Amino acid sequence: MTKVACIGECMIELKQAQGTQASLFSRGYGGDTLNTAVYLARLGAGTDYITALGDDSLSDEMIAGWAAEGVGTTRVARLPGKLPGLYMIQTDDKGERRFFHWRDSAAARSLMDLPQTPEILGSLATYEMIYLSAITLSLYGEEGRARLFAALKRAREAGARLAFDTNFRARGWPDLDVARAVYHDAFELADIVLASTEDLLPLYPGESNEALLAQIPGNEVVLKLSEPASILRLAGVSHQIRAEPLKAPVVDTTAAGDSFAAAYVAARLAGADPKEAARAGHRLAGVVVCHAGAIIPRAAMPPGLIPTTSGKASP
């Protein structure tokens, strides 16, 4: 049975080819929730990706690539005449990245306004976990978000759990007041919130870690810190979880948070307690940042990553 539905957008990715002149770029694809979907599938969680694409050859390539990773694509709407969004990455010598986007008319932005939207939203109740990010919510207008939130409420009533990642991009929001209001609604609905100080401080400037956590009412909240650690709050009690030291230099921080989310959710689905899930998240993210690009080679995936109820890691 498919356990997870990831909702969001995948875009064409352009990044400067290593060892070449600045005018040469390699082409791939990526997006925050898609990155998480791929890592979830690699970690053994049955995962579908829910989005909209065009009917072009680049969209065909995306579908084939996701399927090759074991990500289900039956919930992907295909829109004639539309195209995926496009983004370009620049990475500095410390591995920090800067993004440039061309996505205003991307197919994914229409997902909440299609003839097949009611069927797609109705399917959410068939999943064990639904995962989305604040970037997902920024794709849709007010009416589209209202449709999605209503469907998420129905899915939770049917037994699904919602994991919300606070991934924040200021350019996706008309102003911070709108963003804060949407975050508030998502926080109220989510069973698991995966947050970071990097995401929340632009929304709540100058707040302490404790004050940032106080913005989130849920029982299971992870706040990733600027240092290699996180604060896990369970039923009002906070626990600090420290990451293991990195075994290689940081190359590219792309998808650090996305991979953390995948390992955390996969571990929770496998029956691990939240503390072990957070340690699994730090471990995978610590490997991902030592490789270029959002998706690391399969051979680089750390073995035995997902702990289970028995206390033993999965193979």
Side-chain angles (χ1 to χ4, degrees), residues 56-299:
D56 57 290
S57 60
L58 294 174
S59 295
D60 291 341
E61 285 183 19
M62 287 186 184
I63 291 284
W66 305 346
E69 286 283 0
V71 175
T73 61
T74 58
R75 306 292 186 193
V76 178
R78 304 295 299 272
L79 308 184
K82 284 286 190 177
L83 291 168
L86 171 71
Y87 71 98
M88 184 171 67
I89 301 174
Q90 285 185 342
T91 307
D92 65 22
D93 56 5
K94 296 181 180 178
E96 294 299 326
R97 72 276 192 222
R98 185 181 181 192
F99 294 90
F100 301 86
H101 290 82
W102 296 264
R103 64 194 297 206
D104 289 347
S105 60
R109 291 182 172 270
S110 302
L111 183 63
M112 295 299 129
D113 303 297
L114 304 174
Q116 55 268 55
T117 298
E119 179 184 356
I120 292 171
L121 292 179
S123 74
L124 296 179
T126 66
Y127 293 93
E128 187 174 338
M129 182 79 73
I130 303 163
Y131 173 83
L132 53 77
S133 73
I135 292 179
T136 305
L137 297 175
S138 73
L139 295 173
Y140 318 125
E142 185 176 349
E143 292 183 1
R145 283 194 292 267
R147 292 188 192 101
L148 177 56
F149 278 133
L152 292 171
K153 290 177 183 176
R154 292 192 295 269
R156 291 185 73 243
E157 290 169 358
R161 289 182 289 167
L162 174 63
F164 173 63
D165 193 309
T166 62
N167 206 353
F168 177 72
R169 297 291 182 272
R171 62 181 167 270
W173 301 97
D175 59 60
L176 292 183
D177 286 337
V178 171
R180 281 188 282 261
V182 173
Y183 273 67
H184 175 270
D185 291 344
F187 290 155
E188 290 283 344
L189 196 57
D191 299 282
I192 298 171
V193 174
L194 299 161
S196 73
T197 54
E198 180 183 8
D199 294 332
L200 295 186
L201 283 173
L203 291 169
Y204 312 105
E207 297 282 20
S208 65
N209 294 338
E210 292 73 19
L212 293 176
L213 282 166
Q215 298 286 342
I216 307 171
N219 287 329
E220 186 172 340
V221 181
V222 181
L223 180 67
K224 289 163 283 179
L225 308 178
S226 57
E227 61 192 273
S230 60
I231 299 173
L232 172 66
R233 193 187 69 204
L234 298 172
V237 179
S238 294
H239 312 266
Q240 187 167 88
I241 310 296
R242 299 206 65 85
E244 299 174 3
L246 296 180
K247 297 180 179 179
V250 173
V251 173
D252 184 353
T253 58
T254 303
D258 308 335
S259 57
F260 181 102
Y264 189 94
V265 170
R268 295 293 282 128
L269 287 169
D273 70 62
K275 293 180 184 178
E276 289 302 317
R279 293 187 184 101
H282 280 301
R283 186 179 172 202
L284 180 56
V287 173
V288 168
V289 298
C290 298
H291 293 78
I295 306 298
I296 64 176
R298 277 184 175 273

